[in-house]
Amino acid sequence: MSSVEDIEKAIAELAPGDLARFRAWFDAFDAAHFDARIERDAASGKLDALADQALAGHRSGHTCEL
């Protein structure tokens, strides 16, 4: 069995309270990794073209209102 399968099995066997604690921990863990990736992409310039495109659209009046 792979380590991922072991983790899946262990999670499936958690008591409801422990599952809630795990879910809260994993949400925070996942969000931190997502934020770090966005920060790396922004710092490296990977998002510059998208930002320029969005700003150009906004300046030309093509901004969607929510």
Side-chain angles (χ1 to χ4, degrees), residues 14-28:
L14 289 174
D18 290 336
L19 181 59
R21 284 183 32 225
F22 171 76
R23 186 180 297 115
W25 171 84
F26 187 79
D27 284 346

Side-chain angles (χ1 to χ4, degrees), residues 3-46:
S3 61
V4 172
E5 289 168 332
D6 292 337
I7 293 167
E8 289 172 347
K9 184 178 180 208
I11 291 169
E13 295 173 358
L14 289 174
D18 290 336
L19 181 59
R21 284 183 32 225
F22 171 76
R23 186 180 297 115
W25 171 84
F26 187 79
D27 284 346
F29 173 83
D30 195 40
H33 280 266
F34 179 82
D35 290 348
R37 182 172 180 188
I38 292 293
E39 288 177 17
R40 281 192 310 271
D41 288 350
S44 72
K46 287 184 179 179

